[in-house]
Amino acid sequence: MSEVRKALVVHAEEAERVDLPHGGGFRLLADARDTGGAFGANRLSLGEGAAGAPPHFHARSTELFHVLDGVMRFVLDGRTATVAAGGLVSVPPGTPHSFGAAPGSTAEVLVVLTPGVDRFGYFRSLGRVQHGLETFDALLSAQDRYDVHFL
């Protein structure tokens, strides 16, 4: 039997914020548990030239990036792409990728992972790692749980 899902509305001021040291941060919009597993979504703000994620891949999910403001730089399976506001990037499962704000630019990006994985815990842990409150090993030990496999 399939799960019955209800419409989801998340107002910006209600979304949990995870601050990052470069002045940016995550707005946690929807976790897989909120969408019956259909997707997870967050809004990422990056300071000028800030890294977003080191090289990694997702074994089970496609990751979609919609650049809302600024300019993002992506490395997708070894190829670099620069994407300005209004642009879209779709990364299929198994594709190595990394991303961040382009040099000299800040960036705002909507990130959607589908099918969804409960990853709010990952973003909270990432914030603690970025602030030096936790080691990167905490993320390495949870790669399968969050479907984020670092290279």
Side-chain angles (χ1 to χ4, degrees):
M1 179 185 283
S2 64
E3 182 178 332
V4 175
R5 289 184 265 163
K6 296 180 182 178
L8 175 66
V9 176
V10 179
H11 298 280
E13 65 275 6
E14 297 169 344
E16 179 182 347
R17 181 168 171 89
V18 175
D19 292 321
L20 296 174
H22 53 68
F26 294 98
R27 290 258 183 217
L28 307 181
L29 300 171
D31 220 354
R33 74 182 80 230
D34 303 318
T35 66
F39 68 91
N42 71 82
R43 181 173 175 157
L44 174 59
S45 301
L46 293 169
E48 188 174 317
H56 67 284
F57 68 92
H58 307 287
R60 303 182 306 267
S61 298
T62 294
E63 192 166 26
L64 176 103
F65 299 86
H66 179 227
V67 181
L68 303 170
D69 192 33
V71 182
M72 292 282 292
R73 176 179 283 168
F74 295 87
V75 177
L76 307 162
D77 204 10
R79 295 178 28 195
T80 301
T82 302
V83 182
L88 179 90
V89 173
S90 177
V91 183
T95 303
H97 61 288
S98 62
F99 57 88
S105 182
T106 60
E108 293 273 338
V109 62
L110 175 67
V111 183
V112 177
L113 196 74
T114 184
V117 175
D118 283 325
R119 294 197 323 153
F120 281 8
Y122 167 78
F123 296 118
R124 292 177 188 118
S125 185
L126 184 60
R128 291 188 296 273
V129 168
Q130 292 286 315
H131 286 286
L133 303 172
E134 200 171 284
T135 68
F136 190 71
D137 288 344
L139 294 176
L140 292 176
S141 65
Q143 292 182 95
D144 287 331
R145 176 179 175 196
Y146 296 126
D147 192 23
V148 178
H149 305 274
F150 296 100
L151 302 174

